[in-house]
């Protein structure tokens, strides 16, 4: 259980059910050294006494592009080198409980359903890869991998302008830039956007903090607590909420670019500006923003073109805080969320409590349930039901329409009627 509370523990055995841990960062960061350290501890403790290529409880893989000189070894540990998801699948034994994959961002999309299948078979999957390419976009399949993440550890690097006589002081950066055809280096937000600009102080740099989790996980509470602390300190951030003309609590939703209200599960309300696209945020700040160094965005998974807007805001020094669901109820990418997780300088995960059968384990999933039109029978929502619906932790709406609600769920208790079988299947791992 501590794994889900702490967000930084790597262990040979997951405490409750299958899960996906992502270690992401720019070039020259310590993402691979974190994997090597984990393998060191497994070998030194004799848990993986036969290494990581001979079957057993832990198997490790690496994409050949992850290290073009000596990919067969991570530190002192020999690993499988392959670019094939099928080959990885073929090496998973009944006694394999943990699968480590380095260079995950270089694989093709066939790896994504394999990761999902491993987690659903009660195995732990630990992957490491680049978060962004040198254009500032999610690298390769990392966006799809983020959509499956139960925890993300962001590895950081030193800004290339901190080398030699340059004076940039940023020692924990998360962007990569291309200096020439063969050299890629890490950069702070300022020098990613403006490579030749003078350095700015750490406090003046923009950053994105993403609050993510399943429904009923208190992510909104954590997001709002930061906002409240700023207000108590005399700083009034500008707050935006997604607007589609409806409100799940029956309030007047207002008008686009007008005043609206965010209602938390506690009943507390927060004044906000209604937006449906990232450009609305930039327009509002440009015209009325005033002291808008701090920008808070609720339901950030929904607004159109938000990624580009946040990238520009952060480059201009804004501190952006987004609150969003980590993935859809069907374990798919939820619009903006996975790309913003790749862009984020900090990710704060929250977990609910599984409500199914008195389970009580950490809830990583959002179980959607529905009362179909004219019925009071509660059933799991079909996997092809619309992604964007009005729903909370209780049923809202009129009986003449389908009414939805969400429950917290662990992966083992998630029910998705109509879901296609994954291309990979494994017997459930028994850690006992």
């Amino acid at each position: 259980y501590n794994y889900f509370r702490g967000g930084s523990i790597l262990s040979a055995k997951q405490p409750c059910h299958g899960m996906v841990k992502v270690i992401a960062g720019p070039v020259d960061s310590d993402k691979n050294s974190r994997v090597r350290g984990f393998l060191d501890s497994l070998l030194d403790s004799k848990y993986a006494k036969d290494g990581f290529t001979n079957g057993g409880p832990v198997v490790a893989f690496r994409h050949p592009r992850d290290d073009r000189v000596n990919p067969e070894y991570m530190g002192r540990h020999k690993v499988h080198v392959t670019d094939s998801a099928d080959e990885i699948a073929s090496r998973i034994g009944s006694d394999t409980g943990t699968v480590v994959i380095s260079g995950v961002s270089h694989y093709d999309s066939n790896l994504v359903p394999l990761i999902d299948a491993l987690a659903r078979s009660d195995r732990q999957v630990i992957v490491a890869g680049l978060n962004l390419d040198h254009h500032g976009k999610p690298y390769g399949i990392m966006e799809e991998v983020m959509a499956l993440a139960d925890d993300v550890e962001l590895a950081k690097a030193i800004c290339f302008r901190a080398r030699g006589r340059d004076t940039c002081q940023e020692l924990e950066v998360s962007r990569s830039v291309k200096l020439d055809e063969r050299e890629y280096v890490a950069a702070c937000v300022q020098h990613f956007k403006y490579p030749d600009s003078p350095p700015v102080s750490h406090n003046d740099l923009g950053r994105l903090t993403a609050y993510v989790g399943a429904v009923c996980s208190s992510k909104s509470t954590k997001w709002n607590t930061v906002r409240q602390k700023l207000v108590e300190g005399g700083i009034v951030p500008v707050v935006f909420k997604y607007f589609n003309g409806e409100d799940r609590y029956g309030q007047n939703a207002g008008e686009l670019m007008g005043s609206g209200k965010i209602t938390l599960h506690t009943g507390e309300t927060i004044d906000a500006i209604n937006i449906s696209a990232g450009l609305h945020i930039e327009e509002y700040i440009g015209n009325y923003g005033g002291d808008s160094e701090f920008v808070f965005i609720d339901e950030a998974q929904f607004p159109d073109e938000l990624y580009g807007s946040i990238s520009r805001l952060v480059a201009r020094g804004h501190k952006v805080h987004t609150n969003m669901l980590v993935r859809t109820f069907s374990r798919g990418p939820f619009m903006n969320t996975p790309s913003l997780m790749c862009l984020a300088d900090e990710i704060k995960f929250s977990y609910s409590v599984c409500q199914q059968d008195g389970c009580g384990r950490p809830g990583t999933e959002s179980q959607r349930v529905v009362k179909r039109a004219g019925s009071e029978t509660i059933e799991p929502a079909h996997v092809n039901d619309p992604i964007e619906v009005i729903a909370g932790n209780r049923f809202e709406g009129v009986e003449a329409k389908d009414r939805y609600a969400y429950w917290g769920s662990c992966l083992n208790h998630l029910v998705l009627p109509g879901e296609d079988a994954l291309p990979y299947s494994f017997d459930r791992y028994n850690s006992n």
Side-chain angles (χ1 to χ4, degrees), residues 267-390:
E268 179 184 356
T269 60
I270 304 167
D271 292 332
I273 305 302
N274 291 326
I275 56 101
S276 64
L279 292 176
H280 295 148
I281 297 174
E282 295 184 86
E283 178 184 342
Y284 182 88
I285 290 176
N287 293 333
Y288 314 108
D291 184 13
S292 57
E293 178 184 358
F294 293 89
V295 178
F296 283 67
I297 308 170
D298 190 33
E299 295 192 305
Q301 66 266 21
F302 289 123
D304 295 333
E305 301 175 348
L306 187 60
Y307 188 93
S309 293
I310 289 180
S311 296
R312 290 187 288 272
L313 289 170
V314 168
R316 294 199 290 265
H318 294 278
K319 281 74 171 175
V320 181
H321 295 255
T322 60
N323 175 37
M324 50 197 177
L325 288 168
V326 65
R327 50 182 161 265
T328 66
F329 73 98
S330 55
R331 281 181 66 78
F334 206 149
M335 299 181 181
N336 298 319
T337 298
S339 61
L340 291 177
M341 289 171 67
C342 292
L343 184 67
D345 300 285
E346 185 176 8
I347 298 175
K348 297 190 176 184
F349 260 88
S350 298
Y351 308 95
S352 64
V353 176
C354 180
Q355 300 170 238
Q356 311 287 355
D357 300 327
C359 174
R361 290 173 174 171
T364 59
E365 311 305 316
S366 301
Q367 176 68 67
R368 184 191 281 181
V369 291
V370 59
K371 291 181 179 179
R372 297 297 179 190
S375 172
E376 289 298 313
T377 301
I378 299 174
E379 59 186 66
H382 193 276
V383 70
N384 292 329
D385 277 4
I387 295 299
E388 186 178 347
V389 299
I390 300 297

Side-chain angles (χ1 to χ4, degrees), residues 158-367:
I158 298 172
C159 180
F160 77 103
R161 288 292 303 273
R163 301 174 180 177
R165 62 184 180 180
D166 284 326
T167 55
C168 181
Q169 300 297 309
E170 284 308 299
L171 305 182
E172 293 192 349
V173 305
S174 56
R175 308 289 194 274
S176 301
V177 295
K178 185 178 182 179
L179 293 185
D180 55 43
E181 287 303 313
R182 301 188 65 180
E183 185 176 11
Y184 296 82
V185 295
C188 66
V189 170
Q190 175 76 8
H191 291 124
F192 172 79
K193 184 70 173 179
Y194 312 106
D196 298 322
S197 71
V200 298
S201 70
H202 176 80
N203 290 338
D204 290 332
L205 282 175
R207 60 187 289 110
L208 168 61
T209 303
Y211 300 78
V212 299
V215 296
C216 305
S217 63
S218 299
K219 63 187 181 302
S220 299
T221 301
K222 294 178 181 179
W223 172 83
N224 187 47
T225 297
V226 176
R227 183 197 67 84
Q228 288 176 320
K229 287 181 178 180
L230 290 171
V231 173
E232 291 170 2
I235 300 172
V236 181
V238 59
V239 182
F240 298 93
K241 71 179 290 282
Y242 175 67
F243 176 84
N244 66 352
E246 299 179 286
D247 186 281
R248 70 175 182 235
Y249 294 100
Q251 299 170 338
N252 183 356
E255 298 179 352
L256 187 64
M257 296 293 286
S259 297
K261 287 189 179 295
I262 299 167
T263 303
L264 304 180
H265 290 299
T266 60
E268 179 184 356
T269 60
I270 304 167
D271 292 332
I273 305 302
N274 291 326
I275 56 101
S276 64
L279 292 176
H280 295 148
I281 297 174
E282 295 184 86
E283 178 184 342
Y284 182 88
I285 290 176
N287 293 333
Y288 314 108
D291 184 13
S292 57
E293 178 184 358
F294 293 89
V295 178
F296 283 67
I297 308 170
D298 190 33
E299 295 192 305
Q301 66 266 21
F302 289 123
D304 295 333
E305 301 175 348
L306 187 60
Y307 188 93
S309 293
I310 289 180
S311 296
R312 290 187 288 272
L313 289 170
V314 168
R316 294 199 290 265
H318 294 278
K319 281 74 171 175
V320 181
H321 295 255
T322 60
N323 175 37
M324 50 197 177
L325 288 168
V326 65
R327 50 182 161 265
T328 66
F329 73 98
S330 55
R331 281 181 66 78
F334 206 149
M335 299 181 181
N336 298 319
T337 298
S339 61
L340 291 177
M341 289 171 67
C342 292
L343 184 67
D345 300 285
E346 185 176 8
I347 298 175
K348 297 190 176 184
F349 260 88
S350 298
Y351 308 95
S352 64
V353 176
C354 180
Q355 300 170 238
Q356 311 287 355
D357 300 327
C359 174
R361 290 173 174 171
T364 59
E365 311 305 316
S366 301
Q367 176 68 67

